[in-house]
Amino acid sequence: MTDTSPIQFGFLLFPGFPMACMTSAIEPLRAANEITGRRIFAWRLIAETRATVRSSAEIGFEPDATLQEVVGLDHLYLLSPPTADYGDPRRSPARLRWLDRTGVTLGAFSGGIFPLARAGLMEGRTCSVHWCYEAAFKARFPDVDTTETVICRDRRRATVSGSGAVFGLMLRLIEERLGRDCMTEVACWFQHPVPHEEDMAQKTPVGRSDSLSEQLAAPVRRAIDLFSTHIEDPLRIPDVAEAVGLSNRHFERLFKQETGQSPLRYYHQLRLRKARQRVLYSKDGLRDIAVSVGYLTTATLARHYTEMFGLCPRDERRLAQAG
């Protein structure tokens, strides 16, 4: 006998969660139900308590159930900012681990990967981490494998790096349940582009240029890859030029033409942005942050950080925590 009960989705909301991720998940499921004329998918908003949960857009949502009481889920996705803490740090992670043991597919959208990993549920699995949070995540969870793809599904784990990719994941789930024709119709309802392939790399901005990293000349892309993998141990620019097969002069000219900045300035700002991620999204001390981005002293890091962002690291962290 065919099971006609709807697939049950739960969305676990933490204060400050990205509302765009929630709507990007629910709307395609709703559309699929309307197109088929059947309740194929059902969803519930979940929180640690019954209190209203306010999103990053300052809009409040009433949960349908608490984490401790919810049952019957097929999927549960965590939505949070990267700095979110569990209100009940003992019972809530334990409940998530129990849901995992019962066969629920667990996942995270955007910053939700932090509490999911904090619950010990990403050990031995690979996850997608948004480029905005990558440095902070790797510092906090160095043993968790990450990928630059927008969607990562690994043995009942589904992690997604942003709201557009959340929509793409839902399209994939709709296709797997209802076929490609229904998935395509859902996508067309929202004028959504071709669904994200799961191995699609995240799109990242490049300095002051209006280009994306994937649009750059190959030697510049290779140089940026080298910069990105040598944050703690900075490379000399002439050595990078040699590594990508160009003279130093040609490399400098091509890099500035493609990105709007000299390679040295780009590299310098890349290291500072990595430092900023850890200032805003971790509790790491300034000394550890300085070392992690190749600075010998905290004073030098603080001076360069202030020049670039207009606030010293401690002041920016304090303001972020107050907000």
Side-chain angles (χ1 to χ4, degrees), residues 18-314:
M19 189 174 71
C21 287
M22 183 189 73
T23 57
S24 291
I26 293 174
E27 283 297 292
L29 301 179
R30 175 193 63 79
N33 286 349
E34 289 195 36
I35 288 167
T36 60
R38 292 180 290 150
R39 191 166 176 261
I40 304 296
F41 304 105
W43 50 88
R44 282 175 279 179
L45 302 183
I46 299 165
E48 290 187 85
T49 71
R50 286 281 183 176
T52 299
V53 184
R54 300 191 72 79
S55 71
S56 58
E58 293 297 326
I59 298 174
F61 292 85
E62 302 293 331
D64 301 306
T66 68
L67 179 60
Q68 297 302 323
E69 68 191 14
V70 70
V71 293
L73 295 178
D74 298 296
H75 297 254
L76 177 63
Y77 296 97
L78 280 62
L79 290 80
S80 80
T83 52
D85 288 323
Y86 288 103
D88 189 333
R90 182 181 64 84
R91 296 177 69 224
S92 293
R95 180 68 173 180
L96 290 173
R97 292 191 291 269
W98 179 83
L99 289 169
D100 177 45
R101 292 194 296 272
T102 67
V104 177
T105 293
L106 298 175
F109 302 155
S110 194
I113 187 59
F114 283 78
L116 186 63
R118 198 174 296 125
L121 288 161
M122 289 308 302
E123 294 174 3
R125 291 178 171 84
T126 301
C127 61
S128 173
V129 179
H130 196 287
W131 60 268
C132 279
Y133 309 139
E134 177 194 20
F137 185 86
K138 288 182 176 180
R140 177 65 181 82
F141 305 104
D143 297 328
V144 176
D145 290 332
T146 64
T147 175
E148 294 182 356
T149 59
V150 294
I151 299 170
C152 181
R153 289 199 280 176
D154 185 356
R155 293 165 296 154
R156 286 196 299 108
R157 297 290 183 274
T159 53
V160 186
S161 61
S163 61
V166 170
F167 199 107
L169 173 64
M170 295 300 122
L171 290 179
R172 288 295 173 211
L173 297 178
I174 290 167
E175 180 181 17
E176 290 166 6
R177 177 72 176 203
L178 299 172
R180 189 163 188 85
D181 287 348
C182 183
M183 180 274 286
T184 301
E185 187 169 352
V186 171
C188 290
W189 268 35
F190 297 94
Q191 294 298 297
H192 196 273
V194 175
H196 288 100
E197 297 296 335
E198 293 187 25
D199 61 353
M200 182 183 293
Q202 295 183 44
K203 297 184 184 299
T204 56
V206 179
R208 297 198 307 269
S209 167
D210 59 2
S211 298
L212 300 173
S213 56
E214 63 192 38
Q215 300 169 326
L216 299 173
V220 176
R221 289 201 310 272
R222 291 200 299 272
I224 288 175
D225 287 342
L226 285 171
F227 291 157
S228 298
T229 55
H230 290 79
I231 298 296
E232 185 173 346
D233 53 336
L235 299 168
R236 296 173 62 249
I237 299 303
D239 293 337
V240 176
E242 182 178 357
V244 301
L246 298 176
S247 70
N248 191 51
R249 184 177 178 182
H250 187 188
F251 174 59
E252 294 259 1
R253 184 169 60 249
L254 178 63
F255 197 99
K256 188 164 187 177
Q257 174 185 310
E258 292 280 301
T259 69
Q261 299 179 78
S262 71
L264 182 62
R265 183 170 180 78
Y266 180 94
Y267 197 9
H268 175 72
Q269 292 188 353
L270 175 65
R271 290 162 55 207
L272 287 172
R273 289 192 183 97
K274 296 291 186 182
R276 193 183 198 197
Q277 288 184 22
R278 294 183 64 175
V279 168
L280 294 176
Y281 307 127
S282 80
K283 298 178 181 178
D284 299 334
L286 192 56
R287 181 180 297 278
D288 288 340
I289 294 173
V291 170
S292 74
V293 295
Y295 278 87
L296 297 178
T297 69
T298 58
T300 304
L301 170 63
R303 185 174 73 254
H304 290 175
Y305 190 104
T306 304
E307 290 171 356
M308 181 167 177
F309 302 118
L311 287 171
C312 73
R314 288 190 176 87

